[in-house]
Amino acid sequence: MDRRTSYDDDIYAWSQEQAAALRRLAETRRDLPNELDLEHVAEEIEDVGKAELRTVESFLELMLRHLLKIASAPDARPVRHWRDEVVLQRRALDKDLKNSMRQLLDLDEMWDTAVKRADAALDEHGDALLPELPQACPFSLEELTAGSFEIDSAVARLQELSAKRAGGAF
């Protein structure tokens, strides 16, 4: 028998396993009460896991957005707040990111959203986003979630990439 995932260990994997088990049950057991709506129960349980995944995606996008703002406007008043936010998002990832989610995360999509939102936020305050940022996320999930992650190194990489792509010296 396959080892089942514990709800407390990995809610995303657990929700997917439970939804699949309920669907198998609905297909194979015709003696269940008619009022038992297993398909919708399975969908609701799946949605619990999907909400957890969206939460992790939000942490990553916020982390990227704040890194972009720090790199683009290092002298802006809210830099300390942005740095604190990166630290908070990193801690939240440590707690909530599960192995079963890793292959489902699209960093390039999160990067694109972070770039657009950082640009809009900076523009509101008279600052500008770094020019010529890469289209794809310049960080791997492993880098963003590593215990050795350093904000200053990530910011420096963004600034160097921008300068290099813009053709200027940094």
Side-chain angles (χ1 to χ4, degrees):
M1 180 172 177
D2 292 337
R3 183 178 105 60
R4 291 185 325 180
T5 304
S6 164
Y7 175 91
D8 292 326
D9 292 339
D10 187 337
I11 192 169
Y12 180 80
W14 175 87
S15 69
Q16 303 311 296
E17 289 172 7
Q18 294 301 305
L22 286 170
R23 288 188 177 105
R24 282 192 306 276
L25 184 64
E27 289 174 8
T28 60
R29 296 277 310 269
R30 301 293 176 213
D31 60 334
L32 295 172
N34 286 338
E35 63 269 10
L36 191 56
D37 187 356
L38 289 179
E39 181 54 37
H40 286 107
V41 171
E43 283 179 25
E44 291 298 321
I45 290 173
E46 259 180 347
D47 286 347
V48 168
K50 289 177 184 175
E52 292 295 314
L53 179 63
R54 284 190 297 274
T55 297
V56 166
E57 290 170 335
S58 177
F59 293 152
L60 284 162
E61 188 271 322
L62 281 167
M63 189 175 166
L64 292 169
R65 185 184 333 162
H66 290 303
L67 289 170
L68 282 161
K69 291 192 289 188
I70 296 166
S72 298
D75 297 324
R77 280 188 56 176
V79 164
R80 184 175 180 166
H81 168 73
W82 297 336
R83 292 178 75 83
D84 290 345
E85 284 294 312
V86 172
V87 170
L88 288 172
Q89 303 313 318
R90 250 311 269 114
R91 287 184 187 150
L93 282 171
D94 282 344
K95 182 173 135 310
D96 292 349
L97 177 63
K98 305 300 181 201
N99 282 336
S100 63
M101 298 176 179
R102 288 180 174 273
Q103 71 275 8
L104 302 171
L105 297 170
D106 185 346
L107 279 178
D108 291 339
E109 183 178 310
M110 287 176 245
W111 173 253
D112 184 58
T113 301
V115 168
K116 289 174 184 169
R117 290 181 175 172
D119 187 35
L122 288 168
D123 188 53
E124 279 182 26
H125 299 286
D127 290 309
L129 192 64
L130 287 169
E132 300 298 323
L133 289 164
Q135 295 292 315
C137 184
F139 305 104
S140 70
L141 184 58
E142 290 70 30
E143 289 173 311
L144 293 170
T145 59
S148 60
F149 178 81
E150 293 182 5
I151 295 172
D152 292 333
S153 296
V155 166
R157 184 187 306 175
L158 292 174
Q159 292 169 333
E160 289 167 10
L161 283 169
S162 172
K164 188 182 291 185
R165 290 174 55 92
F170 188 74

